[in-house]
């Protein structure tokens, strides 16, 4: 039990600072476009939900890891966090105006990625937006250097995580995922120092 809560703390200390500006950008986007209710799928430590929430109640975080949900809830008690599988999300059809999936698809096997996307599609209202953040194939010198660093971190996350992550990049990264699933991108921001991009899309 302590080990898993420790994982939340380690994520807060070492990873969250690296993702700060990305999460702030996503929060600003959702707030400016008034995309509520919103759901952060695979929310981890809950930081993204917290940045989006400000004083609102209609933002939800969902994660399968109960200890991660406990960690998020203890930090942000005003936010409803749900412990559930992203392949079977307990919300109604068309109930969300925004769904965020941040650094959560690359580590999953292909069939689970597809199920999560199907769930996101089911949950979004017709004008809803899906906001992805994930790794891309490196495209210049800076992103190549970043991807070397990221690859060493991914290796530490375990064999299966690393294998799925390699497969994700081999298949073309986030850009290819959006294309193969026939999503319509409306905005994209490449981040060379993270070898990643943010993609806002519609189904
Ligand atoms: C790399 S973390 C990303 C966390 C967060 N989105 C971020 O950007 O910081 C991936 C998260 O996915 C969660 N997860 C893994 N499999 C899941 C599943 N089937 N359903 C829901 N969450 C899952 C893990 O518990 C973990 O918190």
């Amino acid at each position: 039990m302590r080990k898993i809560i420790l994982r939340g703390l380690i994520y807060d200390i070492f990873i969250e600072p690296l993702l700060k500006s990305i999460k702030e950008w996503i929060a600003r986007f959702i707030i400016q476009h008034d995309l509520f209710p919103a759901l952060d799928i695979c929310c981890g430590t809950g930081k993204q939900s917290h940045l989006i929430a400000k004083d609102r109640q209609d933002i939800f975080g969902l994660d399968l890891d109960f200890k991660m949900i406990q960690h998020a809830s203890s930090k942000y008690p005003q936010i409803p966090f749900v412990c559930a599988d992203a392949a079977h999300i307990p919300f109604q059809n068309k109930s969300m105006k925004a769904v965020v999936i941040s650094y959560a698809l690359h580590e999953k096997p292909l069939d689970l990625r597809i199920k999560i996307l199907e769930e996101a599609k089911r949950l979004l209202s017709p004008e809803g937006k899906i906001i992805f953040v994930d790794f891309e194939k490196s495209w210049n010198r800076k992103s190549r250097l970043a991807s070397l660093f990221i690859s060493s971190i991914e290796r530490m996350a375990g064999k299966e995580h690393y294998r799925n992550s390699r497969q994700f990049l081999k298949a073309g990264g986030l850009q290819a995922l959006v294309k193969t699933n026939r999503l319509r991108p409306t905005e994209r921001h490449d981040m060379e120092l993270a070898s990643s991009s943010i993609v806002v899309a519609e189904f």
Side-chain angles (χ1 to χ4, degrees), residues 11-27:
Y11 202 93
D12 271 341
I13 294 167
F14 295 104
I15 309 287
E16 289 297 352
L18 305 174
L19 304 181
K20 188 169 178 271
S21 59
I22 296 172
K23 292 191 175 183
E24 285 172 346
W25 187 94
I26 292 173

Side-chain angles (χ1 to χ4, degrees), residues 59-76:
I59 158 81
F60 304 86
L62 177 141
D63 203 283
L64 186 59
D65 184 337
F66 181 61
K67 296 295 171 194
M68 213 47 139
I69 289 292
Q70 279 187 323
H71 178 72
S73 299
S74 69
K75 285 192 304 171
Y76 313 116

Side-chain angles (χ1 to χ4, degrees), residues 132-144:
F132 297 101
V133 189
D134 224 314
F135 297 122
E136 299 285 12
K137 275 186 152 178
S138 50
W139 62 93
N140 63 14
R141 204 170 66 88
K142 281 186 186 164
S143 67
R144 267 193 294 282

